[in-house]
């Protein structure tokens, strides 16, 4: 493709809108909002898991605090009831001793109060969330105390208290055993249970935080992909337009404003295509219009050079030679324009079987005088290959590559052409020993009218179309032409042509 000049408002066609009167096509409803809306939505969705995690952690902490308060409350109730149980049991024994030692029936009321107090404490203990074993101990202690009180109540004040000493000792042992069991229960169930609950809640919070972070990262990655994909495509599209690749339609899918920008780029691409077509038509017409008078000029110069109209002086002959050289240079440039127009016009190909070696020998013969004048050595290894392709197209491409290599080769240098069949296709290499091509210029190398900075000294300036013609011709054959990186001096161009599945004819 050719590069194009910046167009002016005056050269716009009547059927293509310009930037001034361009009315964007109404956007179809899309699922995605604008870029800013999508960004805000993504931010909200990424924050939601964080909020959910904070709420979940707050709930878990409240549960842990609730369990802690409940454990402390139950522990306090058990400790208080155990202490009151010991006090009530001691009060019962003291009241019974006073009742029998003093033999005062009035002290019977104190015994009753001590009994009821002990029963009240046992009822409180029985209502606590015990294990079955502890609950049974409370019930057994209540029965034991009830039986002892029943015996004390039926015995007169003058009875023998010593006969109840062993019963009170058993009651003391049972009370002490229950107090020890409650202490063990507090440590074994409440404290340990609270620690287990805290550990469980801690693990839950860790899993919740990990899940929250993973979900946030996943959502971030999804929205980053949704946002970066159209941006990357826009960047590639702009780079494509910058490289003058105008064949592929532009279709950006994503946020509404980026789709709108894609539509504007598509309009720009259509505009550039039209200007490119106008430019090619202009070159084609100008080339043909110039070729006829230039031919007449060359004939007239030849007549003067042959002194048909009369003898020329030495100065006149020098002027005629200058005119003749300039006319031939102008004809070469016009022929390059015509070749380029022909190369990009997608002509009908005429593939046929031919041998590669004679074609390269033929191209060498065309440059034989130039090779001798430049004292260049022709080198290379060419396999005896048969291929089916358009011979003229391949000849045009190779001729331009060889011409370019000769132009940049130093006097007395070597020009190499290698050809070999490989697994991925037929490869043809054209290598010179010239100044090479700067790495920064490789992208523009095959653009029409592009001339690198490393131009040879003492030669006529080229038209900048040779490599563009070669690339267009090879691509029409279904192959590729590229500048191959090389550590050696000079330029290394490589042609790759696909294998033909047909079998070449014999003979």
């Amino acid at each position: 493709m050719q590069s194009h000049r910046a167009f002016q408002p005056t050269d716009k066609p009547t059927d293509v809108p310009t930037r001034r009167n361009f009315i964007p096509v109404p956007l179809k409803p899309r699922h995605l909002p604008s870029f800013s809306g999508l960004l805000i939505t993504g931010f909200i969705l990424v924050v939601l898991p964080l909020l959910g995690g904070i709420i979940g952690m707050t709930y878990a902490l409240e549960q842990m605090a609730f369990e802690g308060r409940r454990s402390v409350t139950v522990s306090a109730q058990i400790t208080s009831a155990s202490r009151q149980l010991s006090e009530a049991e001691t009060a019962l024994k003291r009241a019974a001793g006073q009742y029998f030692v003093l033999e005062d029936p009035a002290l019977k009321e104190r015994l009753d109060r001590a009994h009821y107090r002990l029963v009240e404490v046992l009822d409180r203990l029985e209502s606590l969330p015990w294990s079955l074993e502890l609950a049974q101990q409370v019930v057994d202690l209540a029965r034991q105390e009830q039986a002892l009180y029943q015996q004390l109540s039926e015995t007169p004040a003058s009875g023998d208290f010593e006969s109840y000493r062993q019963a009170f000792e058993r009651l003391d042992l049972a009370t002490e055993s229950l107090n020890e069991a409650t202490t063990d229960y507090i440590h074994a169930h409440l404290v340990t249970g609270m620690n287990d609950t805290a550990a469980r809640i801690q693990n839950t919070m860790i899993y919740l935080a990990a899940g929250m972070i993973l979900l946030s990262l996943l959502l971030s990655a999804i929205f980053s992909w949704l946002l970066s994909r159209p941006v990357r495509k826009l960047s590639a599209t702009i780079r494509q337009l910058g490289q003058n690749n105008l064949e592929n339609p532009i279709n950006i899918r994503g946020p509404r404003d980026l789709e709108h920008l894609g539509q504007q780029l598509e309009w720009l691409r259509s505009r550039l295509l039209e200007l490119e077509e106008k430019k090619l038509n202009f070159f084609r017409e100008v080339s043909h219009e110039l070729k006829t008078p230039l031919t007449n000029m060359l004939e007239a110069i030849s007549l003067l050079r042959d002194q048909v109209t009369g003898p020329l002086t030495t100065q006149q002959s020098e002027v005629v030679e200058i005119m003749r050289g300039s006319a031939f240079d102008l004809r070469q440039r016009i022929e390059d324009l015509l070749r380029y127009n022909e190369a990009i016009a997608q002509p009908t190909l005429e593939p046929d079987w031919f041998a590669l070696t004679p074609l390269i020998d033929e191209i060498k013969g065309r440059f034989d005088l130039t090779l001798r004048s430049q004292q260049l050595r022709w080198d290379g290894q060419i396999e005896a290959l048969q291929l089916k392709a358009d011979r003229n197209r391949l000849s045009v491409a190779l001729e331009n590559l060889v011409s370019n290599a000769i132009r940049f080769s130093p006097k007395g240098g070597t020009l190499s052409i290698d050809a070999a069949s490989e697994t991925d296709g037929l490869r043809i290499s054209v290598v010179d020993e010239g100044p090479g091509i700067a790495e920064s210029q490789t992208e523009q190398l095959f653009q029409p009218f592009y001339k690198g900075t490393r131009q040879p000294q003492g030669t006529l300036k080229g038209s900048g179309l040779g490599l563009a013609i070669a690339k267009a011709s090879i691509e029409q054959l279904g192959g590729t032409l590229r500048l191959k990186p090389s550590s050696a001096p000079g330029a290394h161009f490589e042609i790759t042509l696909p294998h033909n599945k047909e079998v070449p004819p014999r003979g």
Side-chain angles (χ1 to χ4, degrees):
M1 300 300 295
Q2 297 186 18
S3 60
H4 52 80
R5 62 182 177 85
F7 58 88
Q8 303 295 331
T10 55
D11 62 9
K12 63 181 182 294
T14 56
D15 57 341
V16 178
T18 64
R19 291 182 183 271
R20 294 180 179 179
N21 58 9
F22 172 62
I23 302 176
V25 180
L27 293 173
K28 297 180 181 180
R30 300 289 186 186
H31 295 293
L32 293 178
S34 64
F35 188 86
S36 58
L38 189 62
L39 189 63
I40 294 174
T41 302
F43 177 77
I44 293 174
L45 289 180
V46 169
V47 168
L48 282 179
L50 300 177
L51 294 177
I54 292 174
I55 294 174
M57 290 181 180
T58 303
Y59 175 76
L61 290 174
E62 289 182 353
Q63 288 294 107
M64 186 169 63
F66 172 77
E67 288 294 330
R69 290 193 299 268
R70 189 187 69 84
S71 298
V72 170
T73 302
V74 173
S75 299
Q77 291 176 351
I78 293 175
T79 303
S80 176
S82 299
R83 179 177 54 80
Q84 293 175 4
L85 177 63
S86 298
E87 293 175 355
E89 191 270 336
T90 302
L92 178 64
K93 184 168 66 171
R94 185 182 300 114
Q98 292 175 353
Y99 173 66
F100 285 100
V101 171
L102 298 178
E103 299 181 358
D104 186 358
L107 295 176
K108 179 66 167 55
E109 184 178 352
R110 293 184 62 184
L111 179 64
D112 295 338
R113 286 199 306 269
H115 164 69
Y116 293 135
R117 174 60 179 166
L118 184 58
V119 170
E120 181 182 354
V121 172
L122 290 172
D123 290 340
R124 286 178 55 193
L125 286 172
E126 190 175 358
S127 64
L128 292 176
W130 296 108
S131 63
L132 293 177
E133 182 180 356
L134 283 174
Q136 186 61 42
Q137 281 188 259
V138 173
V139 172
D140 292 343
L141 180 60
R143 290 175 181 175
Q144 185 178 350
E145 190 278 334
Q146 182 64 33
L148 178 59
Y149 172 73
Q150 189 70 28
Q151 294 178 6
L152 292 172
S153 299
E154 294 176 354
T155 304
S158 59
D160 186 10
F161 179 73
E162 290 298 327
S163 60
Y164 296 100
R165 187 175 298 277
Q166 292 182 354
F168 274 108
E169 288 178 355
R170 289 193 298 271
L171 186 63
D172 287 341
L173 291 175
T175 302
E176 184 178 355
S177 176
L178 181 59
N179 288 336
E180 292 177 355
T182 56
T183 302
D184 295 339
Y185 177 80
I186 290 174
H187 288 285
H189 292 80
L190 297 182
V191 176
T192 304
M194 187 170 61
N195 292 335
D196 294 341
T197 302
R200 185 177 67 255
I201 292 176
Q202 182 181 8
N203 292 334
T204 302
M205 291 174 66
I206 292 174
Y207 294 143
L208 183 62
M212 172 187 65
I213 293 173
L214 290 177
L215 182 58
S216 298
L217 291 176
L218 178 61
L219 291 174
S220 299
I222 292 174
F223 276 93
S224 176
W225 177 77
L226 287 175
L227 293 175
S228 62
R229 183 183 60 169
V231 173
R232 288 196 303 269
K233 191 169 183 181
L234 276 175
S235 177
T237 299
I238 294 173
R239 191 182 307 111
Q240 172 183 319
L241 293 178
Q243 296 173 353
N244 209 26
N245 184 3
L246 308 176
E247 301 300 326
N248 299 323
I250 299 173
N251 185 17
I252 304 297
R253 295 298 179 90
R256 287 196 302 267
D257 41 8
L258 294 185
E259 287 186 357
H260 180 68
L261 181 58
Q263 291 176 354
Q264 292 178 323
L265 289 175
E266 172 61 19
W267 169 80
L268 178 61
R269 185 191 70 87
S270 301
R271 175 65 172 156
L272 293 176
L273 272 176
E274 183 181 1
L275 292 176
E276 189 75 13
E277 183 63 28
K278 283 187 175 183
K279 182 181 68 176
L280 294 179
N281 290 334
F282 171 77
F283 286 147
R284 191 179 299 113
E285 293 174 3
V286 169
S287 300
H288 284 287
E289 291 293 331
L290 291 178
K291 197 170 185 181
T292 299
L294 181 60
T295 302
N296 296 332
M297 287 176 59
L298 285 171
E299 291 178 356
I301 292 172
S302 296
L303 292 176
L304 290 175
R305 186 171 181 268
D306 295 338
Q307 300 185 12
V308 175
T309 59
L312 301 176
T313 64
T314 302
Q315 292 182 345
Q316 289 173 340
S317 296
E318 290 177 357
V319 172
V320 169
E321 289 298 329
I322 292 174
M323 293 172 58
R324 182 172 179 270
S326 299
F328 272 109
D329 181 53
L330 180 58
R331 186 178 69 175
Q332 182 63 40
R333 293 174 184 251
I334 292 174
E335 288 178 354
D336 286 343
L337 283 174
L338 292 174
R339 283 185 178 183
Y340 180 69
N341 288 329
E342 180 184 355
I344 64 175
Q346 300 293 336
T348 302
L349 300 179
E350 298 179 358
D352 197 3
W353 288 101
F354 64 93
L356 181 61
T357 302
L359 173 62
I360 295 179
D361 291 340
E362 180 182 322
I363 294 173
K364 178 184 177 183
R366 296 174 193 171
F367 294 98
D368 189 57
L369 293 178
T370 307
L371 291 170
R372 291 181 182 180
S373 64
Q374 292 290 108
Q375 300 178 6
L376 295 177
R377 188 169 66 92
W378 183 281
D379 192 12
Q381 297 180 352
I382 302 172
E383 293 184 8
L385 300 172
Q386 293 280 334
L387 64 153
K388 186 176 183 180
D390 190 310
R391 192 176 188 274
N392 291 331
R393 290 285 92 194
L394 183 58
S395 176
V396 168
L398 290 174
E399 183 177 342
N400 279 277
L401 290 177
V402 171
S403 175
N404 182 79
I406 292 175
R407 183 168 175 268
F408 283 90
S409 293
K411 193 171 183 178
T414 301
L415 190 152
S416 301
I417 296 185
D418 299 319
S421 178
E422 299 182 2
T423 56
D424 55 346
L426 171 65
R427 294 188 182 276
I428 304 175
S429 299
V430 179
V431 184
D432 61 59
E433 295 180 345
I437 299 168
E439 185 178 354
S440 59
Q441 300 174 352
T442 54
E443 292 187 1
Q444 298 88 8
L445 183 63
F446 296 101
Q447 296 295 325
F449 306 107
Y450 178 77
K451 302 175 184 179
T453 56
R454 300 175 180 177
Q455 294 294 319
Q457 299 293 330
T459 60
L460 295 174
K461 293 184 178 180
S463 62
L465 290 173
L467 294 179
I469 294 172
K471 184 176 178 62
S473 300
I474 294 300
E475 288 178 349
Q476 287 175 2
L477 296 176
T480 59
L481 171 62
R482 70 186 182 104
L483 176 67
K484 189 175 181 180
S486 176
S487 58
H492 184 174
F493 291 94
E494 183 180 76
I495 296 174
T496 303
L497 295 174
H499 284 302
N500 198 296
K501 297 182 180 180
E502 299 181 20
V503 180
R506 295 182 179 180

